[in-house]
Amino acid sequence: MHIGTTYIGCPTVADDIALVANSATDLQLMLNVANSYANREKYVIHPEKSTILMKIPPKRSNTTSSDWKLGDNEVSVSKTTTHLGIIRSEKNEVSINIDDRISCATKTLYSLTGTGFHGTNGLPPTTCMKLFITYVLPRLLYGLETFVLKQYHLNALEKFYINFLRKIQCLPNRSVKGITYLLLGVRPATAELHIRQLNLLGCIIRSENLTLNKILRRQISTKSETSDSWFTYIDKLLVQYDLPSAAKMVINPPCKLLWKKNVKLAIDKFWTQKLLLDCQNKSTLSYCDLSSLKIGTVHKLWSSIESNIKDVRRGGIKARLITGTYVLQSNTSKFNQHEVSSVCPLCQYEDEDIVHFILKCNALFKYRKSYIEELEVIINSISNPNTCSWNSLIGAGTSLPGIVAAKCEATVILSDSSEYPQCLANCAASCEANNLSNITIVGIKWGQFTPELLNLQPVDIILGSDCFFDTKDFEDIIVTVAFIMKKRPSTEFWCTYQERSSSRSIEYLLLKWGLESREIDLETFEADSPILAGSTLPGNHTIHMFIMKKKKSTDS
């Protein structure tokens, strides 16, 4: 058997040898030579461990085991056999090996169950991952670097791998693939396999074996891009990861350690970008900071937990919240075939989404309070008070609508809650940052008739940005607006509202306090896009704009 002019009839590894021939006669001659040499050197070749595999079986004749002999013993013919731990077969060789590797890795996982590989009652995901990389991954990928794998082969490996990652992180199957890898900072199975294949190429290039060198030089110089050659496949990987071509490395072979380092860096960079691209524009990941995620770095979620059952279970809940897969009432109402309310079952105030669950729900306030206070101290200690503080991060008004109106030369009175002096200070800071010195700032609380509200001068327009987010405040807002309108009946209340529940309505409140409302089509001033002025803040939320005013009297 030759590749070009290079003889490859008896590749040998340690005490294993494979005899490769183009014809039955040639194979029998090689068996005779092997048997003669064994007799001369006084060792025995076990006939039952020797098997003949026909890669291209004859189409018309049935070949039996009696066609070949090793000395006086017949050599059996088999459709599959194992050589150096790799299954060799007449056909579908790659698929058979993929299935065998996955089966072996599954058995290894089961054998590690006793160490804590069983969900939230076991080890933290970081420890599970170390055990997986040490014991399971080598068995999953063993020998596969020698094959030319198709995409469906890689998909089978990835399916097994990502199912394991989701299980140890308590993530459902619908979680985004990219975030599943990046939370633990691990490479996909495909990337791990590519590292092994490129390292194998480096070994071949540095090898002093003349036969390997001849085959390498021949293949990279004669095979086209459409060839099924392993070297052609590897050349495509080198292009994919922006590494030097095999032809260049043959001329100037890289040293072992430098090559391994460059391969890992190139593959980690490529797959970090690819996984982040998979995560972008996913609505479930809107609250996940993607900028801190990369291969090789474990997310703080997992690196900060202790090795105990309580922390592991907490970590699982946090992971589902970060990935947007924690099932809340708003999710249940969207995907349930029956009519289910999206309102929070604990406080009954507004729709239970992730923001409400973590920050707003009154029923959870006593559990949240200690952590919020601690977080406030931390943020204020690391923030520049002139640019960022806890109050500016958590709901304090920055007066953007009023600032814009003042920039348009309107006479503006800025207002925020009188109960939070820091909010009013934020308004002042916003004015100062925008060089606006002649603006009045008044503290007003919805529904309370304070001296500040009673002494407020008449206005033409009241601007309210997303005021209607907590149903318990709806009437207080309407009452305050109605009182201001009494001073000047032509006053209008311009407000925007993010739709959080289709079951909410303020129609009865408008009727009760003598107001009427009309909706303004956002398209009329080009505000119907998910991206406004370069900002993606609107996103996929449903935003409405309304103009409210005093209802005209119908008395004759």
Side-chain angles (χ1 to χ4, degrees):
M1 172 70 76
H2 291 78
I3 294 180
T5 58
T6 306
Y7 178 71
I8 53 125
C10 50
T12 307
V13 178
D15 62 343
D16 281 292
I17 185 171
L19 304 180
V20 186
N22 282 323
S23 66
T25 304
D26 288 347
L27 181 58
Q28 184 59 62
L29 289 173
M30 296 176 77
L31 288 171
N32 293 341
V33 171
N35 184 65
S36 175
Y37 186 82
N39 291 335
R40 189 180 71 188
E41 298 297 323
K42 301 187 183 309
Y43 65 84
V44 177
I45 300 175
H46 202 299
E48 293 183 5
K49 289 185 177 180
S50 302
T51 305
I52 291 173
L53 176 69
M54 300 180 64
K55 293 292 289 184
I56 308 176
K59 295 181 180 180
R60 296 183 179 179
S61 60
N62 293 322
T63 306
T64 62
S65 59
S66 61
D67 289 334
W68 289 282
K69 289 188 176 183
L70 184 62
D72 296 330
N73 299 309
E74 294 181 355
V75 184
S76 62
V77 178
S78 175
K79 291 185 177 180
T80 61
T81 188
T82 302
H83 180 60
L84 301 177
I86 301 173
I87 299 174
R88 299 299 181 184
S89 173
E90 290 181 355
K91 54 185 178 180
N92 298 327
E93 191 171 82
V94 180
S95 297
I96 291 173
N97 276 278
I98 292 289
D99 293 341
D100 179 67
R101 294 295 89 213
I102 292 175
S103 174
C104 180
T106 303
K107 292 175 183 177
T108 307
L109 276 179
Y110 285 144
S111 69
L112 290 170
T113 301
T115 65
F117 265 49
H118 45 73
T120 55
N121 289 330
L123 298 170
T126 48
T127 306
C128 289
M129 203 62 232
K130 289 178 181 177
L131 290 172
F132 183 90
I133 291 173
T134 303
Y135 297 105
V136 182
L137 193 62
R139 293 191 173 189
L140 177 65
L141 301 180
Y142 175 79
L144 298 182
E145 64 267 26
T146 61
F147 293 106
V148 177
L149 301 181
K150 304 296 183 183
Q151 188 58 49
Y152 60 88
H153 296 136
L154 297 174
N155 290 343
L157 293 173
E158 291 294 355
K159 182 179 179 181
F160 169 81
Y161 193 25
I162 201 167
N163 283 344
F164 167 75
L165 293 179
R166 283 170 173 157
K167 181 177 179 181
I168 63 174
Q169 296 183 88
C170 306
L171 296 176
N173 292 335
R174 61 190 176 90
S175 60
V176 178
K177 286 185 178 181
I179 200 66
T180 306
Y181 292 113
L182 289 172
L183 284 179
L184 284 171
V186 297
R187 305 180 189 99
T190 301
E192 293 285 358
L193 183 58
H194 287 171
I195 288 177
R196 285 162 169 74
Q197 290 176 318
L198 293 175
N199 285 339
L200 176 58
L201 173 67
C203 291
I204 294 173
I205 290 174
R206 292 188 301 270
S207 174
E208 297 179 357
N209 187 303
L210 294 178
T211 301
L212 277 178
N213 276 285
K214 287 180 181 179
I215 294 173
L216 168 64
R217 292 173 184 272
R218 179 190 182 277
Q219 296 298 90
I220 62 178
S221 61
T222 61
K223 294 298 180 180
S224 66
E225 292 184 358
T226 58
S227 169
D228 289 334
S229 168
W230 185 84
F231 291 98
T232 302
Y233 175 73
I234 293 298
D235 243 350
K236 292 177 182 178
L237 290 184
L238 293 171
V239 172
Q240 177 179 329
Y241 294 118
D242 197 22
L243 292 167
S245 66
K248 290 181 179 179
M249 288 192 290
V250 167
I251 299 172
N252 185 21
C255 71
K256 180 179 179 180
L257 294 179
L258 181 60
W259 176 243
K260 284 190 171 184
K261 179 182 177 181
N262 289 340
V263 165
K264 287 184 178 180
L265 287 175
I267 288 179
D268 286 353
K269 179 181 177 182
F270 175 88
W271 281 97
T272 295
Q273 293 174 348
K274 187 178 177 66
L275 295 175
L276 286 174
L277 188 63
D278 178 52
C279 294
Q280 287 178 359
N281 301 322
K282 294 291 194 298
S283 59
T284 54
L285 300 179
S286 57
Y287 296 105
C288 180
D289 180 16
L290 300 179
S291 62
S292 63
L293 299 175
K294 65 178 180 178
I295 289 176
T297 302
V298 181
H299 191 277
K300 290 292 184 183
L301 160 67
W302 293 126
S303 63
S304 61
I305 69 170
E306 300 292 335
S307 183
N308 58 67
I309 294 176
K310 189 175 182 179
D311 255 22
V312 172
R313 289 181 176 176
R314 283 177 174 175
I317 295 173
K318 292 176 185 177
R320 293 197 296 277
L321 287 170
I322 287 176
T323 58
T325 55
Y326 191 84
V327 179
L328 296 166
Q329 202 66 20
S330 58
N331 308 113
T332 305
S333 67
K334 288 179 182 177
F335 303 105
N336 199 302
Q337 60 179 341
H338 305 291
E339 187 173 345
V340 177
S341 173
S342 60
V343 176
C344 175
L346 297 176
C347 65
Q348 297 292 329
Y349 281 152
E350 63 176 350
D351 288 2
E352 187 189 41
D353 56 13
I354 189 170
V355 174
H356 173 84
F357 178 69
I358 295 177
L359 296 175
K360 296 182 178 180
C361 184
N362 292 331
L364 300 176
F365 176 76
K366 61 181 180 180
Y367 305 106
R368 183 192 309 123
K369 182 179 178 182
S370 60
Y371 298 103
I372 292 292
E373 290 174 349
E374 184 179 354
L375 187 60
E376 179 179 358
V377 172
I378 294 172
I379 289 179
N380 284 330
S381 66
I382 64 176
S383 301
N384 182 345
N386 295 324
T387 58
C388 179
S389 66
W390 171 257
N391 286 315
S392 65
L393 290 172
I394 309 297
T398 55
S399 311
L400 179 59
I403 293 296
V404 173
K407 285 290 187 180
C408 295
E409 301 184 354
T411 301
V412 174
I413 300 173
L414 295 181
S415 173
D416 211 312
S417 175
S418 57
E419 292 186 347
Y420 300 102
Q422 184 61 49
C423 294
L424 300 176
N426 284 340
C427 294
S430 297
C431 294
E432 183 179 351
N434 288 276
N435 298 318
L436 299 170
S437 57
N438 298 320
I439 293 185
T440 304
I441 300 175
V442 178
I444 294 176
K445 177 159 177 66
W446 298 123
Q448 291 187 6
F449 293 88
T450 60
E452 289 81 7
L453 179 61
L454 295 173
N455 296 327
L456 187 68
Q457 63 185 10
V459 296
D460 295 313
I461 297 174
I462 306 168
L463 297 178
S465 176
D466 197 25
C467 297
F468 296 99
F469 60 86
D470 197 337
T471 51
K472 65 183 179 60
D473 295 327
F474 283 6
E475 186 162 14
D476 289 339
I477 296 170
I478 299 297
V479 167
T480 305
V481 169
F483 175 78
I484 296 173
M485 288 180 176
K486 281 187 177 182
K487 297 184 178 184
R488 180 173 290 172
S490 62
T491 299
E492 294 183 343
F493 179 35
W494 295 12
C495 66
T496 55
Y497 167 67
Q498 176 188 330
E499 185 175 311
R500 297 176 173 89
S501 173
S502 58
S503 62
R504 292 182 174 182
S505 175
I506 61 170
E507 187 176 355
Y508 73 99
L509 292 174
L510 296 177
L511 184 63
K512 177 179 178 181
W513 295 101
L515 302 181
E516 60 183 2
S517 171
R518 63 187 175 93
E519 184 172 0
I520 305 300
D521 192 346
L522 300 183
E523 186 178 0
T524 58
F525 54 100
E526 299 180 353
D528 57 335
S529 170
I531 299 177
L532 295 179
S535 170
T536 58
L537 188 60
N540 295 321
H541 301 297
T542 302
I543 308 294
H544 301 280
M545 179 177 176
F546 298 96
I547 293 181
M548 302 179 192
K549 58 184 180 179
K550 194 170 181 60
K551 194 173 184 180
K552 293 181 181 180
S553 176
T554 56
D555 296 338
S556 55

